[in-house]
Amino acid sequence: MNNKKLFAEGVLKSMGYYSRSFLAFFLLSLLLNVINGQPLVPALFIFGDSVVDVGNNNHQITVIKANFPPYGRDYENHDPTGRFCNGKLATDFTAEVLGFTSSPPAYLNLNTKGNNLLNGANFASASSGYYEPTAKLYNTIPLSQQLEYYKECQNKLVEAAGKSNASSIISDAIYLVSAGTSDFVQNYYINPLLNKFYTIDQFSDTILQSYSDFIQRLHSLGARRIGVTSLPPIGCLPGAITLFGFQSNECVASLNSDAINFNEKLNTTSRNLKNMLPGLNLVIFDIYQPLYNLVTKPSENGFFEARKACCGTGLIETSILCNRNSIGTCANASEYVFWDSFHPSEAANKLLADSLVAAGISLIS
């Protein structure tokens, strides 16, 4: 009952509903569809970048890692799992609300991949993106390889649960995809081989073609319930302001405009995919507006600082630059919107998860 109630209340709070009769109706609907305290869906599979990576990069020869302090200092047992955060990610909170006792494990962390995969897996890799060369720049795991791991995972599911049960898990699971930010911030904006030869619109169109190809491949592998995050307000990330803000402390308007334009195209592309692919339930999670609200109105949302991140000076530190010797790291990350200069704090992730839950109702109905 606790997970069902948490889910319902989270949805209602996020959507602005407080009617007791509506809450009763919603809880009754959940009770009719959820049996014996099982999760609302059989499994959760996650693909993407550092916003959702829970440790796959621990096994890569790359500097893009977070498996050392102070990362994870507010996580269970103060464990630096590889999450780019002081604690839980938005997807960790989402998994809890869906009724899972733990988040989907990092696929590459699993020594035994049988029954451990029955509730899903996480294939995400920090610095990955829809644009294949982005991951190659940092020797991380591109989405094409993440799909190959997922195909391997499907075979392991058949071995562990049988073909029929595995088929049900695959078709009824929720698939979450978070990518795109690295393509811009860690590639296009800093790579003259791209930004001198492609306009931002041309590059966006290239990314969207890769996005379309990825969704079609995922659909061909049996995925039917897919949630995809939009680009965040990339011009408001502390690291982006430091790099591209020309000594300003304000969000970089041009970068935010790029994100808004991309998100509009993402919505159009996604509508076309839904019309083209049979049985596809594809939802775009708007991360842009919720995070923009936190950055521009921090005190209204319970935060003290939105320009600087908690780790180090808060202006540029991420990955290996955010370490136990980083000077100036804050004592209470819950007062900060950002943990490092590119990633939200656990406190911000909790609020972003509320938005994910509200937008994702159609994926579980």
Side-chain angles (χ1 to χ4, degrees):
M1 281 296 294
N2 289 337
N3 285 321
K4 304 184 192 84
K5 184 177 180 181
L6 178 62
F7 175 82
E9 291 179 344
V11 171
L12 295 173
K13 180 179 179 182
S14 300
M15 299 182 69
Y17 291 112
Y18 292 94
S19 165
R20 289 186 178 181
S21 60
F22 187 91
L23 177 59
F25 174 78
F26 196 87
L27 287 172
L28 179 60
S29 297
L30 289 178
L31 288 170
L32 291 174
N33 287 283
V34 183
I35 301 174
N36 296 327
Q38 295 298 309
L40 297 173
V41 293
L44 186 59
F45 296 100
I46 300 174
F47 302 83
D49 55 20
S50 59
V51 176
V52 291
D53 185 356
V54 295
N56 285 304
N57 271 20
N58 297 354
H59 302 271
Q60 297 297 113
I61 302 175
T62 178
V63 297
I64 312 299
K65 295 185 180 185
N67 57 341
F68 47 82
Y71 286 104
R73 74 177 195 190
D74 300 312
Y75 194 70
E76 300 169 8
N77 301 317
H78 313 291
D79 186 16
T81 60
R83 288 166 170 80
F84 284 75
C85 188
N86 60 300
K88 294 180 180 179
L89 307 178
T91 46
D92 291 322
F93 289 114
T94 301
E96 290 177 4
V97 168
L98 289 174
F100 293 101
T101 56
S102 61
S103 293
Y107 186 71
L108 297 186
N109 278 357
L110 291 173
N111 294 320
T112 304
K113 293 186 170 70
N115 292 334
N116 290 321
L117 300 173
L118 294 178
N119 291 133
N122 185 311
F123 307 94
S125 172
S127 292
S128 183
Y130 294 120
Y131 188 58
E132 192 89 354
T134 299
K136 293 181 179 178
L137 278 176
Y138 300 94
N139 198 38
T140 56
I141 309 167
L143 283 175
S144 60
Q145 182 58 50
Q146 292 181 34
L147 275 180
E148 290 302 312
Y149 286 138
Y150 173 62
K151 289 166 67 175
E152 179 182 280
C153 173
Q154 286 189 334
N155 293 331
K156 299 295 183 182
L157 280 175
V158 171
E159 293 174 6
K163 188 173 183 179
S164 178
N165 288 334
S167 179
S168 296
I169 292 171
I170 290 165
S171 61
D172 293 336
I174 286 179
Y175 298 77
L176 297 180
V177 184
S178 171
T181 301
S182 295
D183 292 321
F184 287 94
V185 177
Q186 293 177 261
N187 198 352
Y188 181 81
Y189 292 134
I190 63 173
N191 187 348
L193 294 177
L194 287 177
N195 58 47
K196 297 298 183 185
F197 295 97
Y198 297 97
T199 67
I200 191 67
D201 280 335
Q202 290 171 331
F203 185 66
S204 292
D205 290 342
T206 298
I207 293 177
L208 286 163
Q209 182 58 58
S210 297
Y211 160 72
S212 179
D213 293 343
F214 176 81
I215 296 298
Q216 290 180 66
R217 290 186 63 193
L218 193 55
H219 177 271
S220 71
L221 292 171
R224 293 298 180 266
R225 304 176 179 187
I226 305 175
V228 178
T229 61
S230 69
L231 283 187
I234 52 181
C236 294
L237 304 178
I241 296 175
T242 301
L243 292 172
F244 310 111
F246 303 104
Q247 298 183 336
S248 168
N249 275 330
E250 303 297 324
C251 296
V252 184
S254 61
L255 270 60
N256 280 351
S257 179
D258 292 342
I260 290 171
N261 292 334
F262 177 87
N263 290 339
E264 290 176 352
K265 291 182 177 182
L266 177 67
N267 285 322
T268 299
T269 302
S270 299
R271 284 194 295 270
N272 293 337
L273 286 167
K274 287 178 70 175
N275 292 332
M276 181 176 68
L277 300 174
L280 176 62
N281 186 355
L282 178 61
V283 174
I284 300 300
F285 297 125
D286 174 27
I287 292 297
Y288 185 100
Q289 196 60 48
L291 185 54
Y292 185 77
N293 289 341
L294 297 185
V295 171
T296 56
K297 303 173 183 177
S299 60
E300 293 181 20
N301 291 281
F303 294 98
F304 167 76
E305 178 63 69
R307 165 61 182 100
K308 295 181 179 180
C310 174
C311 189
T313 66
L315 299 176
I316 195 64
E317 291 87 355
T318 189
S319 193
I320 60 172
L321 297 178
C322 174
N323 56 66
R324 65 169 74 246
N325 297 318
S326 297
I327 298 175
T329 298
C330 75
N332 186 0
S334 65
E335 296 179 347
Y336 286 68
V337 173
F338 294 98
W339 161 249
D340 68 17
S341 62
F342 289 96
H343 302 98
S345 65
E346 179 183 77
N349 280 330
K350 177 64 177 71
L351 296 181
L352 295 175
D354 290 342
S355 297
L356 289 177
V357 169
I361 292 175
S362 65
L363 289 178
I364 62 169
S365 60

